[in-house]
Amino acid sequence: MKKILPIVSLLTVTTCFAQKEKALSDSAKFNKYLSGNTSSFIFNGQKPIGRGWEILEKQFADNQFVAWGEYHNSTLLSRLSAYALEAASKHGFKNWCVEVSPFVASELMRIAAGKNPYDSLLAVSKDHPTYGTFPFFKTGEDALMLAAAEKYKYTIWGIDQEFQMAFPYGINRVYNAQSPKIKQAYQAVRDSLLAKWWMPKVKLLDSLRNGIPQENYKRVLDDIKLSRTIYYEDNSLMRAALMKKNFYAYYDSAKSKNEKVFFKMGANHLAKGLNLMTHLYDIGNSVYELSQHNQTNFTNIYFILRYTTEDGKIIDDFESAESDYPKEFLKLYDKEKWVLVDLRPLRVRYNNDKTLTEDTYQIIDKYDFIVVSPEVKK
């Protein structure tokens, strides 16, 4: 019996030690890993400087697909993205995938090749300058991205639906490309389509489509028709399927299966696994699996924003009862710096003890990096 006691004592000590290890809360683990995997960079509109930017730039060297998941309509992020396009080009990136339709992507490439892209964007949006005609492309900073794309010889891939604000532009573009005879025959159809441009009648779209010879303009009308359905039904599944279809049309026509692609789209579309909002497998997951098939790499970066301005008042997302982003990351905000967290080492075994928010667990699983922007967005 005496010989057994030391063994029992050892087991007791080991068990107690293991229990102490298990008792470490998820938040304690998170903060421990966070402290060693956070860096930053400064960006004053010129070249980004700092360890955080060096890490972001290295992703272009290490991956076939790099995805920047943005918060939309940020002039500061557009300016930073222009530098990202330059950095990516040094590592063989020549394809830029954005959240517009294939037709709008071709229009953006035409505008980028012109003498003054910003003036062209202003001209395109002259009828509704507040929200623009092409989604996410309306400011001088957006024009800087287009200038960078032209300078570094990118092909712009537009994989999304046609957005409603571009419906009239597309309809007019199709109509104006026709012969005088066709224009005369279909002027009433065009006018009727524009009268209810936000939800044009399918019969009228089909009528114009059947009366024109050009396949590329038929596709424009097809996209408007499909997008109309997506809007009417609020059909996220149809939209996700369209993104994948359009992406693979570009990818399959590329010279090499190892073509590098830089994505700049809404962050939720670029998650690994299920989209956090729609709970569907979106384009980000498809490209992630494609990289596994190719035995290359995919990385996604989630950009988040703490402060916005509404009616002249600054809104702090950290103080919101239903914040858009996890408070665990918002607390890292620095008004002088962009704060970068490498999430990959944080994928340790958690107990789901609810000391972290559910969104935090999800983001750690679905994204490789998170960037907290210093911007106070208007």
Side-chain angles (χ1 to χ4, degrees):
M1 188 68 178
K2 290 181 181 180
K3 291 182 179 179
I4 297 174
L5 284 174
I7 298 173
V8 173
S9 299
L10 180 61
L11 288 172
T12 302
V13 171
T14 304
T15 302
C16 291
F17 180 77
Q19 287 175 343
K20 286 183 180 179
E21 286 292 303
K22 288 181 180 179
L24 191 66
S25 70
D26 285 355
S27 60
K29 290 180 182 178
F30 175 82
N31 290 327
K32 175 185 175 183
Y33 282 91
L34 195 67
S35 63
N37 295 283
T38 301
S39 56
S40 64
F41 63 95
I42 296 171
F43 178 60
N44 59 4
Q46 302 303 315
K47 185 174 174 60
I49 299 172
R51 174 63 179 157
W53 179 254
E54 292 171 3
I55 292 171
L56 285 180
E57 190 166 359
K58 188 175 185 298
Q59 302 317 304
F60 295 118
D62 295 345
N63 295 274
Q64 180 181 5
F65 306 111
V66 174
W68 278 25
E70 66 174 7
Y71 53 92
H72 287 314
N73 299 314
S74 164
T75 55
L76 187 59
L77 192 51
S78 290
R79 187 177 286 272
L80 183 66
S81 298
Y83 283 93
L85 288 164
E86 177 184 356
S89 71
K90 298 174 184 176
H91 299 285
F93 282 76
K94 294 299 178 188
N95 305 295
W96 180 29
C97 190
V98 292
E99 201 169 334
V100 301
S101 70
F103 165 64
V104 169
S106 66
E107 292 293 282
L108 291 174
M109 288 193 67
R110 179 181 60 80
I111 290 170
K115 291 182 178 180
N116 195 322
Y118 183 42
D119 283 350
S120 297
L121 289 179
L122 289 177
V124 164
S125 297
K126 66 181 184 302
D127 295 331
H128 32 76
T130 302
Y131 54 86
T133 292
F134 299 155
F136 323 125
F137 289 91
K138 62 179 182 178
T139 68
E141 287 77 11
D142 298 333
L144 289 177
M145 292 191 295
L146 295 179
E150 172 66 16
K151 180 177 180 180
Y152 299 107
K153 307 303 179 187
Y154 278 88
T155 299
I156 300 177
W157 294 9
I159 64 169
D160 205 357
Q161 67 187 70
E162 191 60 83
F163 284 80
Q164 275 179 308
M165 63 280 280
F167 284 3
Y169 181 88
I171 291 167
N172 274 325
R173 197 85 161 83
V174 169
Y175 177 79
N176 290 334
Q178 305 311 312
S179 67
K181 182 178 180 180
I182 293 177
K183 281 185 178 180
Q184 184 178 9
Y186 286 91
Q187 182 176 351
V189 173
R190 190 277 307 265
D191 292 346
S192 296
L193 285 169
L194 294 180
K196 292 187 177 180
W197 61 265
W198 59 94
M199 196 60 65
K201 290 186 178 295
V202 170
K203 184 164 71 172
L204 294 175
L205 287 170
D206 287 343
S207 175
L208 181 57
R209 184 195 189 282
N210 294 334
I212 63 174
Q214 307 99 324
E215 288 299 322
N216 59 323
Y217 287 125
K218 288 178 184 288
R219 286 193 293 271
V220 173
L221 296 173
D222 288 341
D223 282 347
I224 292 174
K225 180 179 174 180
L226 178 60
S227 300
R228 177 196 184 281
T229 302
I230 291 172
Y231 277 111
Y232 185 76
E233 298 180 0
D234 192 20
N235 195 325
S236 297
L237 180 60
M238 185 179 290
R239 185 183 178 194
L242 179 63
M243 282 190 177
K244 295 171 193 176
K245 175 185 175 183
N246 285 335
F247 170 79
Y248 280 109
Y250 284 109
Y251 180 77
D252 290 343
S253 64
K255 294 179 181 178
S256 166
K257 297 308 176 189
N258 290 324
E259 288 271 328
K260 293 189 170 188
V261 186
F262 174 42
F263 294 78
K264 180 181 179 287
M265 301 175 63
N268 285 309
H269 295 297
L270 298 173
K272 297 176 180 178
L274 296 175
N275 179 314
L276 285 171
M277 289 186 66
T278 65
H279 307 291
L280 298 169
Y281 290 107
D282 215 322
I283 184 64
N285 188 69
S286 291
V287 176
Y288 172 50
E289 293 191 346
L290 175 61
S291 72
Q292 293 176 313
H293 173 75
N294 291 348
Q295 298 184 45
T296 56
N297 295 301
F298 165 87
T299 193
N300 55 356
I301 297 99
Y302 191 7
F303 286 80
I304 70 172
L305 183 69
R306 176 165 174 172
Y307 292 101
T308 54
T309 303
E310 187 175 315
D311 297 326
K313 182 181 178 182
I314 294 178
I315 307 298
D316 183 357
D317 194 44
F318 187 86
E319 301 297 333
S320 173
E322 297 182 1
S323 57
D324 291 331
Y325 305 109
K327 297 181 189 296
E328 288 89 340
F329 296 111
L330 291 175
K331 69 183 181 182
L332 300 174
Y333 172 85
D334 186 320
K335 66 179 182 178
E336 303 293 339
K337 301 175 181 177
W338 299 70
V339 178
L340 172 73
V341 182
D342 187 345
L343 298 175
R344 297 169 299 179
L346 275 64
R347 292 177 187 147
V348 295
R349 188 179 298 277
Y350 288 110
N351 301 319
N352 285 303
D353 61 11
K354 307 308 177 186
T355 57
L356 296 174
T357 60
E358 185 61 32
D359 284 349
T360 301
Y361 292 114
Q362 294 268 15
I363 285 174
I364 291 170
D365 286 340
K366 294 178 180 297
Y367 298 91
D368 296 316
F369 297 88
I370 196 164
V371 177
V372 186
S373 170
E375 181 178 13
V376 179
K377 185 172 174 289
K378 297 180 180 180

